[in-house]
Amino acid sequence: MTFTTRPTLRGTFGMVSSTHWLASQSAMGVLERGGNAFDAAVAAGFVLHVVEPHLNGPAGEVPAILATAADPAPRVLCGQGPAPAAATVAHFRSLGLDLVPGAGPLAAVVPGAVDAWLLLLRDHGTRTLAEVLEPAIGYAAAGHPLVGAAGQTVARVRSLFTDHWPTSARLWLRDGRPPAPGEMITNPAYADTLRRLVHAGRAAGADREAQIEAARRAWREGFVAEAIDRFSRLPFRDSSGRAHAGLVTGDDLAGFSATWEAPVTLDWRGHTIAKTGFWGQGPVLLQTLAVLDALDDPAVYDPSSLDGIHAQAEALKLAFADREAWYGDTDVPGSALLSAGYARSRAALIGDRADTTLRPGSPAGEPPRLPSHLHTHAAGRAVPQDPSTGEPTVRADGVTRGDTCHVDVVDRWGNIISATPSGGWLQSSPTIPELGFPLGSRLQMCWLEEGLASTLRPGRRPRTTLSPTLVLRDGEPVMACGTPGGDQQDQWQLLFLLRHLAGRQELQEAIDAPTWHTTSFPASFYPREVEPGVLVLEDRIDPDVLSGLRERGHTVRLSDPWSLGRMCAVTRDPSTGVLSAAANPRGAQGYATGR
């Protein structure tokens, strides 16, 4: 019997897996009271705003993929806000910037998370707004024991708060010090914001959907939009080292609505893998799986062996190179990128030695174009954060690498959802005092150079790293999964899927297994650096494998034995109705629950 840190949970009533135990249990409580998977996911999403404020916030974003019991076809919920109307390349250049700052008001996109959660509740939920917001209001008003990583994040940006962001200092540096691990923390302003949304809903009458629409209007056109508009006009220091005002206006909020979209899919080894569109990095996972299949070698599917790690790392580099050249909120040659012929041509580039260059392809016959920044600034520079840690890292100026949450839910009726909320971190921008949360900084993923797939454009979504996953078999949804981790999200999910779907490992076994990733491509986060040839691996990998990787030209960097990845997963067997769930033990924060 293989040892696992926890059991794979099994039952028939409902399953939840998330990156924080309070969110998981809050979602389970909604299921116990008769709600469905979508009600539960919304409740968890708002709780995550409160209990993981260093990893996501109300002014952040959330993409999700779901399937309903009535319709198993997967759908994407896009809660990724676009660039504000005033966010032009010319404006940033006029400020003397060649990159969008990684933190501060200038890096904000239009908030998307709250509108997306409410749209999900309206279209697929069954509970009232007051019912699903009750847990979050309770934790914000009465308090919750803050996880240690959140206090550590506050400590890292303490001087930024005290010297430049006084509204954040008032919320997070009570008595002048960062919160201690487990200290009871309240956020009365955010509790009041949620109560006002509930009140706006009740004022619209008894109809559930009318209440939700009224709350959406209060967010997009009412008191929330008004407060964001006022605060965004104030200049605050950002990661450029200077103070700039933001660009998000009330009109931007009023003009935005979360949307439903078709997913991008790949049929792979008897399963269909569904991801968000090419406005996110999700199709990287699909491209990588297609290239591995094109290698036509069973050895490449083992994420713990020398041949497997080498092949997977090289395939990932090729897919991420295509991300840099082709992905964005624009016309993307998606069919060509995922075609079998293109996968074979890319697989032919994988040799016995690690490649240290960026090699995008020409899927539709057009030459790829990469940002000139990569040639003049990024390649080979030392990354100032430590990418070997599994927990997201934050610099003293507020720049963040990959802070994110995740939640998966499946219920007894067969409804299932995978959601990856992020952005609007407590360290991303100054706190808006009357609302209790800051704006996000996702605009940093746009380039200030014309002619690129991810060039900054007003109204265009930044090419996000957020990447939930839904897996189907014979047209029926069987698994929802995902992880935080910025550029690592689809890398860690690749290893998990290979172990579970190809290697037949149990959910918890596949999550617990040693994890690794490569940083040999441009980072999505400011300052957009590259570490050619670097492989970051947990220090549980076989030493002989590590030696073999070095011999093949990989630069091996070891991290702590239990440090990489925060995978969550839930499954449903359509033939029996048995549900399962598992969660990552790393960081002692994520938990699965169910019965």
Side-chain angles (χ1 to χ4, degrees), residues 108 113 132 184 204 259 269 279 286 296 300 311 355 383 389 518 583-584 590:
V132 298
M184 288 291 288
T259 54
R269 297 178 65 87
W279 49 266
L286 308 184
D296 195 25
V300 304
D355 190 87
V383 175
T389 176
T518 177
N584 171 60

Side-chain angles (χ1 to χ4, degrees), residues 133-214:
L133 293 188
E134 181 183 5
I137 292 172
Y139 287 125
H144 61 97
L146 192 68
V147 294
Q152 293 165 11
T153 298
V154 175
R156 293 188 189 106
V157 293
R158 180 176 182 172
S159 61
L160 177 67
F161 285 8
T162 56
D163 297 343
H164 302 287
W165 295 1
T167 57
S168 296
R170 285 196 292 271
L171 177 60
W172 294 108
L173 295 171
R174 299 170 191 182
D175 301 322
R177 59 171 180 79
E183 182 175 346
M184 288 291 288
I185 292 294
T186 62
N187 189 340
Y190 186 49
D192 188 56
T193 295
L194 295 181
R195 290 192 188 104
R196 291 182 69 179
L197 293 180
V198 172
H199 179 75
R202 285 175 173 158
D207 181 75
R208 191 187 75 91
E209 292 186 13
Q211 289 185 356
I212 296 169
E213 281 302 295

Side-chain angles (χ1 to χ4, degrees), residues 317-401:
K317 292 176 192 177
L318 294 170
F320 275 102
D322 280 342
R323 183 193 74 168
E324 290 309 307
W326 301 108
Y327 288 25
D329 190 11
T330 185
D331 292 331
V332 177
S335 297
L337 284 165
L338 293 175
S339 68
Y342 185 65
R344 287 192 294 271
S345 71
R346 301 296 273 164
L349 298 176
I350 298 177
D352 293 334
R353 299 283 300 172
D355 190 87
T356 59
T357 60
L358 198 62
R359 298 184 291 173
S362 301
E366 295 294 325
R369 181 173 176 188
L370 295 171
S372 59
H373 174 86
L374 301 180
H375 304 294
T376 58
H377 294 88
R381 290 172 56 186
V383 175
Q385 305 90 344
D386 178 10
S388 67
T389 176
E391 290 295 315
T393 55
V394 184
R395 290 197 332 211
D397 59 3
V399 174
T400 303
R401 296 179 64 83

Side-chain angles (χ1 to χ4, degrees), residues 443-528:
L443 205 63
Q444 66 183 290
M445 296 181 178
C446 296
W447 290 105
L448 300 179
E449 179 179 344
E450 298 293 350
L452 303 175
S454 53
T455 295
L456 173 65
R457 285 285 184 274
R460 181 182 287 184
R461 293 169 291 190
R463 190 205 65 209
T464 181
T465 56
L466 306 178
S467 193
T469 300
L470 198 69
V471 178
L472 298 92
R473 186 173 63 242
D474 299 326
E476 293 287 333
V478 295
M479 181 166 67
C481 65
T483 178
D487 294 314
Q488 283 70 253
Q489 288 183 32
D490 287 294
Q491 301 193 63
W492 294 337
Q493 289 184 73
L494 171 71
L495 310 190
F496 167 77
L497 291 175
L498 289 173
R499 284 170 169 141
H500 180 62
L501 298 182
R504 305 299 181 188
Q505 293 183 5
E506 296 247 355
L507 288 184
Q508 194 64 49
E509 182 183 5
I511 289 174
D512 283 354
T515 303
W516 56 266
H517 63 265
T518 177
T519 57
S520 189
F521 56 85
S524 295
F525 293 90
Y526 180 93
R528 314 298 295 268

Side-chain angles (χ1 to χ4, degrees), residues 264-277:
V264 175
T265 62
L266 177 76
D267 292 332
W268 184 79
R269 297 178 65 87
H271 295 84
T272 299
I273 317 296
K275 302 293 289 185
T276 65

Side-chain angles (χ1 to χ4, degrees), residues 214-258:
R216 292 179 76 196
R217 287 193 298 273
W219 176 271
R220 290 172 8 200
E221 304 172 32
F223 75 97
V224 174
E226 292 167 359
I228 289 175
D229 187 289
R230 288 192 302 269
F231 196 77
S232 184
R233 299 173 189 270
L234 303 176
F236 288 93
R237 185 182 179 91
D238 58 38
S239 50
S240 72
R242 292 176 283 143
H244 296 109
L247 300 174
V248 177
T249 67
D251 287 342
D252 290 318
L253 270 87
F256 171 78
S257 175

